[in-house]
Amino acid sequence: MKKKVLIVEPSEVIVEGLVATLNHGELKMLKPEYTADDLGNRLDVLKPDILIINPTLNDNVTELRNGRSIAVLALVYQYVKQVRLKRFDGIIDIRDSQQSILQTVLEISTKTQTSDAAMSSHELTRRETAVLVEVARGLSNKEIAARLNVSVFTVTTHRKNIVRKTGIKSVAGLTVYALLNNLIDEDTVI
């Protein structure tokens, strides 16, 4: 069944670009909203599976969820404090490639198909695993961003998610984690 996606963003140009990017068989795009006024009631009526929202409009993810089974993604194209973005299930940076944005939404879509118990698991997403591998290879955030064709901001977010999920903060510890989970072999470690 197609996942319903609702975009809440005041810029029509950004909304149109995002809708074109997310035009995919697994996703059903709902009519976009340009303000966050009365958003709670609209979420109850529209019942989207995924909400993509500009965090400057509303970053109270707890209020947005409020008993709803919904994944909430932040749509970022300007500076937003990291503490505000930690609340979201994921981040879409409009500077990322179309493929990366679509992949992020599809991964979130896949997560919403799992039960709540599975969603609380600490498994890394495919993109987080790719970032972890590059960290274990000794690359900087900037080098990882260039290699994966995403922004440095996105790499930083993935690294924070990796640390949160694994509980490992050091690069050496993450390298050992990657080795133990057969994500890399000894020859690739610098």
Side-chain angles (χ1 to χ4, degrees):
M1 186 157 96
K2 291 184 177 187
K3 293 294 180 175
K4 296 187 288 186
V5 180
L6 175 64
I7 300 170
V8 181
E9 163 59 44
S11 169
E12 289 184 45
V13 171
I14 291 174
V15 168
E16 291 301 318
L18 196 52
V19 167
T21 298
L22 298 177
N23 187 15
H24 190 274
E26 295 180 36
L27 304 173
K28 178 183 179 188
M29 302 304 297
L30 299 173
K31 182 181 177 201
E33 300 287 341
Y34 297 99
T35 71
D37 299 337
D38 198 32
L39 184 57
N41 288 333
R42 289 185 287 172
L43 291 174
D44 290 337
V45 171
L46 298 171
K47 299 187 183 327
D49 300 298
I50 301 169
L51 172 64
I52 301 173
I53 186 169
N54 182 325
T56 61
L57 296 177
N58 187 335
D59 67 350
N60 189 344
V61 176
T62 305
E63 176 187 301
L64 293 171
R65 282 199 185 100
N66 194 22
R68 299 175 187 97
S69 179
I70 186 172
V72 185
L73 296 168
L75 176 61
V76 178
Y77 54 88
Q78 59 197 28
Y79 176 75
V80 178
K81 290 183 180 180
Q82 277 292 346
V83 70
R84 292 175 72 183
L85 295 176
K86 285 182 184 179
R87 304 172 188 143
F88 290 87
D89 297 313
I91 298 169
I92 295 174
D93 189 320
I94 65 167
R95 294 167 290 231
D96 290 344
S97 68
Q98 288 181 322
Q99 180 182 3
S100 177
I101 290 171
L102 180 60
Q103 183 177 4
T104 298
V105 174
L106 290 175
E107 283 179 1
I108 288 294
S109 168
T110 303
K111 285 183 183 179
T112 60
Q113 292 173 354
T114 60
S115 67
D116 289 344
M119 283 189 68
S120 67
S121 78
H122 298 290
E123 289 186 28
L124 300 178
T125 65
R126 186 174 43 214
R127 192 56 117 177
E128 289 166 346
T129 302
V131 170
L132 174 62
V133 167
E134 301 305 331
V135 168
R137 289 182 177 150
L139 297 180
S140 69
N141 285 356
K142 187 175 181 180
E143 292 169 321
I144 295 169
R147 182 169 287 191
L148 299 178
N149 198 25
V150 297
S151 71
V152 174
F153 180 79
T154 300
V155 173
T156 302
T157 300
H158 285 312
R159 286 188 70 164
K160 287 181 182 182
N161 289 338
I162 292 165
V163 169
R164 179 178 48 81
K165 289 178 178 181
T166 64
I168 302 169
K169 295 180 180 178
S170 69
V171 173
L174 291 172
T175 303
V176 171
Y177 179 89
L179 283 166
L180 292 174
N181 287 284
N182 298 318
L183 301 175
I184 58 171
D185 56 32
E186 294 176 36
D187 298 333
T188 60
V189 179
I190 296 177

